[in-house]
Amino acid sequence: MREKNISMERKKYLKKVTRNRVTVILTQIFVLIAFIATWEICANANIIDSFITSQPSRILNTFMNLSQNGLLEHIGVTCFETIIGFLSGTVLGIIIAIILWWSKFLSKVSEPFLVVLNSLPKVALGPVIIIWVGAGMPAIIVMALSISLIVTILEILNGFLNTDKEKIKMVKTFGASKLQILTKIVIPANISTFINSLKVNIGLSLVGVISGEFLVSKAGLGYLIVYGGQVFQLDLVMTSVIILSLVAAIMYESVVLLEKLITKTHIMN
Amino acid sequence: MSTIHEVLKISNISKIYQAKNGEVEALKNINLTVNEGEFVSIIGPSGCGKSTLLSIIAGLEEKTSGKIYINKEEIVGVSRKIGYMLQKDSLLEWRNIYQNIMIGLEIQGIKNKENEAYVDELLKKYNIYEFKNKFPSQLSGGMRQRVALIRTLAIRPQILLLDEAFSALDYQTRMLVIKDVYQILKNENKTVLMVTHDLSEAISMADRVVVLSNRPSHIKTIHDIEFDMENRDPMNCRENPKFSKYYENLWKELDINA
Ligand SMILES: Nc1ncnc2c1ncn2[C@@H]1O[C@H](COP(=O)(O)OP(=O)(O)OP(=O)(O)O)[C@@H](O)[C@H]1O
Ligand SMILES: [Mg+2]
């Protein structure tokens, strides 16, 4: 709607929408600043013990020395492990979901196993994984993979099985083969399922990587957090936690960006 | 229609569904012959097996016994001579109108110059050409059903099966679409087998109306519909005095079944 003469009501309405949005953002910024300021002031006034709680200025300091204290390298390691775990979990999950969609028999057989594996807290497998693949980066990646894989399979298989039966019937009337049903209907109809599972997986892979790093690693943000805790360097712990949340946010946002890109090219409207 | 040519022959079709809680005998010894260019409507009580019959002809459902012939040749499974139009248009929202119409040709691997030209011709002739780059969500219900029809026609079926294809549309749109579709099908000289629960719809389009009985369904009666009109269409034949006569007869026929 590219109308030139917008009515007064419309103008008012648009203004109100913008104003509401600005108010929300300003309030969010204010809350954040107030929290940081209170933290800093309380620490300076010795109301809280900055040895245990750390304090914003010291976190900033640690952050500034990023390149010297090797933080950058740790961030790199964690990101690398997460992305590998995430990608392999998603790709394997999709492949297995396709196989299970293809064969009703296999899907029936595997159902109880998948349900049990899904409810098992994967972190409990940590020691087993370490023994099997060795203490180190592979173990961490396997950990991330094991956390995201089962959920991905269940999520995507569920999406596949819920594909509009009428659409499938429609292509069957043209004599579509099973492969054609998969590629022409089931996969394109489930793009949003894929993206949703990407969104969930990025978070899950980070959980897997960090818990893996808690257990075995010699590098990475998880390692820094454990190490900082052991030597009572709360500045390091806090900085790592903050960076971790930034990393998580950036990864999540890149998936959202990918989603926008795909929906734009894939489905108009 | 100079010489009468038999296109579709349904011979002794029976269908028994096997379900967990027992057998459902849907169809029993259905026999029907449809000639080229003929429009046959099928009516019957709800759940009697009308959709089952069409699905069997389309090759989507196994038959328990019986045979189906097209042009005197027995067919097994999905035949390329048959187009099947369902109640839901099932347009794919991730494809534009043109790509939606092409899906049948893609699936059958016959997306060649000749067929593309034919689709273009259909698009132009039936006023869809200007919408071809739009997406399904941008079209009205009537328009979507028309696209679904063109999608079915694109593979050049000799026989068209319609299963309550218009029942999802509101009354006004339905009237217009029915008239439209009728004209298109006559133009393209298609042989049509249409299932509907709407008596007026059945009469207004058909050359013959087949009445099915309750389950297990067999053909109860077949009524010839003849209006002796110059330019008969599904709208103007409703005003013909014969229309209400047919309606009454068929209504009674169904009533006895119920
Ligand atoms: N896959 C199936 N398994 C078992 N029974 C079935 C199956 N499909 C249909 N039936 C049964 O067969 C009978 C005929 O079904 P069908 O859908 O052909 O009827 P219909 O005449 O098209 O009904 P409607 O008027 O509701 O469209 C019904 O009693 C139905 O419950
Ligand atoms: Mg039906």
Side-chain angles (χ1 to χ4, degrees):
Chain A
M1 270 180 271
R2 266 174 267 107
E3 68 242 280
K4 274 232 171 78
N5 39 355
I6 313 168
S7 71
M8 283 301 280
E9 262 92 306
R10 180 89 190 141
K11 255 185 212 162
K12 252 190 210 157
Y13 169 76
L14 289 176
K15 225 180 218 165
K16 204 172 130 203
V17 170
T18 326
R19 187 150 10 95
N20 279 347
R21 209 175 46 216
V22 171
T23 320
V24 168
I25 293 174
L26 284 181
T27 314
Q28 286 168 335
I29 294 174
F30 173 76
V31 168
L32 189 66
I33 291 176
F35 173 73
I36 294 173
T38 318
W39 186 2
E40 180 72 23
I41 291 165
C42 288
N44 281 340
N46 276 329
I47 298 172
I48 53 174
D49 186 355
S50 64
F51 182 66
I52 315 179
T53 61
S54 185
Q55 89 187 70
S57 55
R58 287 164 60 174
I59 292 174
L60 193 68
N61 245 337
T62 318
F63 195 73
M64 287 313 216
N65 292 332
L66 205 73
S67 37
Q68 284 146 34
N69 54 23
L71 245 179
L72 223 45
E73 194 188 316
H74 290 291
I75 297 174
V77 168
T78 297
C79 285
F80 177 75
E81 290 162 346
T82 307
I83 289 171
I84 298 291
F86 163 74
L87 286 181
S88 50
T90 308
V91 170
L92 258 180
I94 290 176
I95 293 173
I96 295 174
I98 288 176
I99 294 171
L100 295 184
W101 173 84
W102 196 282
S103 159
K104 252 208 188 94
F105 176 74
L106 280 185
S107 129
K108 280 255 165 61
V109 170
S110 61
E111 195 183 299
F113 301 107
L114 286 176
V115 169
V116 170
L117 281 177
N118 188 41
S119 44
L120 176 81
K122 261 60 88 187
V123 185
L125 295 177
V128 183
I129 292 174
I130 292 167
I131 291 168
W132 285 354
V133 285
M137 197 180 270
I140 294 168
I141 291 171
V142 171
M143 192 86 159
L145 177 76
S146 68
I147 281 192
S148 57
L149 184 63
I150 309 290
V151 189
T152 311
I153 296 173
L154 291 174
E155 191 70 20
I156 291 181
L157 182 60
N158 189 39
F160 280 6
L161 294 177
N162 282 318
T163 309
D164 187 354
K165 300 269 181 310
E166 290 291 317
K167 289 196 172 102
I168 294 177
K169 192 171 177 192
M170 184 271 291
V171 286
K172 274 189 179 167
T173 67
F174 294 114
S177 65
K178 194 145 195 174
L179 184 63
Q180 283 174 322
I181 293 173
L182 180 71
T183 56
K184 303 239 181 248
I185 302 291
V186 173
I187 288 179
N190 277 289
I191 295 291
S192 62
T193 314
F194 292 138
I195 290 171
N196 278 338
S197 88
L198 285 187
K199 279 183 188 164
V200 173
N201 276 355
I202 203 91
L204 288 180
S205 298
L206 257 179
V207 172
V209 164
I210 297 298
S211 40
E213 285 178 352
F214 279 0
L215 286 176
V216 290
S217 77
K218 293 163 194 68
L221 290 172
Y223 163 76
L224 273 194
I225 290 169
V226 170
Y227 171 77
Q230 280 165 352
V231 299
F232 253 91
Q233 246 200 300
L234 266 291
D235 299 343
L236 193 58
V237 175
M238 289 296 185
T239 312
S240 308
V241 170
I242 289 169
I243 291 175
L244 190 57
S245 55
L246 286 178
V247 167
I250 290 171
M251 287 185 173
Y252 185 83
E253 284 306 317
S254 11
V255 175
V256 172
L257 204 72
L258 180 76
E259 175 179 20
K260 283 197 180 130
L261 219 79
I262 290 175
T263 23
K264 222 184 208 164
T265 53
H266 188 66
I267 311 167
M268 295 271 296
N269 284 314
Chain B
M1 268 181 282
S2 44
T3 54
I4 294 177
H5 172 56
E6 168 193 315
V7 174
L8 175 68
K9 185 173 172 184
I10 300 161
S11 170
N12 262 321
I13 293 289
S14 295
K15 172 69 184 179
I16 299 171
Y17 280 112
Q18 296 296 340
K20 283 212 179 82
N21 48 2
E23 294 187 335
V24 178
E25 194 173 4
L27 302 173
K28 195 170 185 176
N29 295 332
I30 303 278
N31 286 292
L32 182 68
T33 311
V34 185
N35 295 326
E36 186 170 19
E38 205 181 8
F39 199 121
V40 174
S41 296
I42 299 174
I43 58 173
S46 107
C48 73
K50 304 181 292 290
S51 299
T52 303
L53 180 60
L54 288 199
S55 292
I56 287 175
I57 299 169
L60 299 185
E61 194 76 66
E62 298 276 341
K63 48 191 181 286
T64 307
S65 64
K67 284 181 174 162
I68 293 166
Y69 303 88
I70 293 180
N71 305 327
K72 310 226 152 115
E73 258 176 64
E74 189 183 349
I75 56 158
V76 181
V78 178
S79 161
R80 295 192 172 190
K81 297 224 166 64
I82 292 180
Y84 192 4
M85 196 171 154
L86 306 159
Q87 182 177 346
K88 278 188 76 182
D89 56 56
S90 291
L91 296 181
L92 308 177
E93 61 267 25
W94 56 88
R95 285 170 171 243
N96 68 23
I97 298 306
Y98 184 72
Q99 293 164 336
N100 261 292
I101 287 173
M102 296 305 281
I103 193 161
L105 297 176
E106 268 172 42
I107 285 168
Q108 303 190 346
I110 46 172
K111 203 174 144 184
N112 52 33
K113 279 243 160 57
E114 192 194 337
N115 285 327
E116 279 173 14
Y118 177 65
V119 166
D120 266 10
E121 190 191 314
L122 284 175
L123 288 174
K124 282 184 185 140
K125 202 151 74 176
Y126 301 118
N127 303 322
I128 293 186
Y129 200 77
E130 52 194 304
F131 300 104
K132 70 181 217 168
N133 292 320
K134 293 225 177 315
F135 280 77
S137 59
Q138 296 168 292
L139 266 56
S140 67
M143 206 59 190
R144 291 173 64 116
Q145 206 56 324
R146 190 204 278 243
V147 171
L149 175 66
I150 303 298
R151 176 183 65 197
T152 312
L153 293 179
I155 56 163
R156 301 191 207 212
Q158 198 179 356
I159 302 164
L160 228 80
L161 308 176
L162 308 179
D163 192 356
E164 315 230 357
F166 315 111
S167 59
L169 304 172
D170 62 81
Y171 185 77
Q172 290 257 317
T173 317
R174 181 153 30 118
M175 285 300 141
L176 295 173
V177 171
I178 286 173
K179 188 176 173 195
D180 229 38
V181 166
Y182 183 80
Q183 227 74 63
I184 295 173
L185 293 175
K186 284 291 164 201
N187 276 348
E188 307 294 322
N189 192 31
K190 298 296 177 195
T191 305
V192 186
L193 209 52
M194 176 178 84
V195 162
T196 175
H197 60 255
D198 181 338
L199 273 187
S200 325
E201 188 178 300
I203 301 165
S204 71
M205 298 173 93
D207 300 312
R208 279 194 290 160
V209 177
V210 173
V211 184
L212 293 182
S213 71
N214 264 324
R215 247 182 338 107
S217 206
H218 54 268
I219 293 181
K220 219 184 155 224
T221 42
I222 299 180
H223 294 244
D224 285 315
I225 307 289
E226 182 65 65
F227 286 111
D228 317 310
M229 290 170 78
E230 278 281 301
N231 292 309
R232 171 194 170 180
D233 76 30
M235 296 286 237
N236 65 21
C237 74
R238 285 169 197 249
E239 271 120 57
N240 192 301
K242 278 180 154 181
F243 190 89
S244 47
K245 215 20 171 260
Y246 288 134
Y247 191 95
E248 220 171 292
N249 286 344
L250 287 169
W251 179 256
K252 275 191 206 137
E253 197 86 52
L254 277 181
D255 210 34
I256 297 162
N257 279 315

